[in-house]
Amino acid sequence: MREWALTAVIMGAAGLVLTMMLWPTPSTGKRLLKKWEVADPTEAQVTDAVRYLRKRRLLYPWIYLAGGLGPDFDDDMTHLVIIVLGGALLAELIALRPSRSAQRVASLVPRGLFDIASKAVLGSYAVIVLGVLVHLGIEREWQRMSWLGASVAAVAVVTWAAVARPATGDGRVDMALRTRSVHVSAGLGAAVAAVLIPGKYGFFGLLAWIAMAHTKPRSTKINQ
């Protein structure tokens, strides 16, 4: 029990430090929007982006604290990586609830999944998850399969919300952040899946995460 408590405190402290290091500023919000094809963002657009990031960062200490009390894996590194990646994915999921001050906007054009997310990102994620699922099933790694199922469910909810939730605020920013949420969540989900296979596959999962999270949408989708 003491070891669990110590692990939880360490992870919570790590989450707090990470939150402080990654705390969003207006310059961070501006870089985010430019990266996601919102050219020359206004002050109001930057404010929306900063709010979006802060909602996620504020969850890190609490999620990591809870993760320290979760089930152990065969090695400490796998446990640590799962907490970090899973925590970031869970933060995306919990932060889906729109702000009370957000003003909902009607969309004149119906949105489809592939109007928001890249087919390459979603296809790569599906292939990785299916491959890991088959491997874990053959090896009868039931606990790891439960973690995989939880990550898949989180990615599915984030993806569904990106398509279904009402638009809020500036249309270009709203669409850009929807795309970012799907791509980042799919990348995190792919990395979690890869880490669940013992060995060196976790490294390739991290590469997949980086690649997916940095896959930009077509600029025509954001700027129309």
Side-chain angles (χ1 to χ4, degrees), residues 135-224:
H135 175 85
L136 295 179
I138 293 174
E139 297 296 326
R140 299 185 178 182
E141 293 279 0
W142 309 126
Q143 184 191 46
R144 291 173 184 261
M145 286 185 69
S146 67
W147 276 84
L148 177 63
S151 71
V152 170
V155 173
V157 172
V158 171
T159 303
W160 169 81
V163 178
R165 70 174 175 81
T168 58
D170 183 89
R172 291 193 302 159
V173 173
D174 181 77
M175 183 65 78
L177 297 182
R178 287 173 192 265
T179 302
R180 181 198 178 273
S181 288
V182 175
H183 287 192
V184 168
S185 297
L188 287 166
V192 168
V195 169
L196 290 172
I197 299 180
K200 300 180 180 179
Y201 293 98
F203 174 73
F204 296 103
L206 294 177
L207 291 180
W209 169 30
I210 294 172
M212 292 180 187
H214 288 80
T215 300
K216 298 179 181 179
R218 292 206 305 269
S219 58
T220 53
K221 294 180 183 177
I222 298 300
N223 295 320
Q224 57 179 289

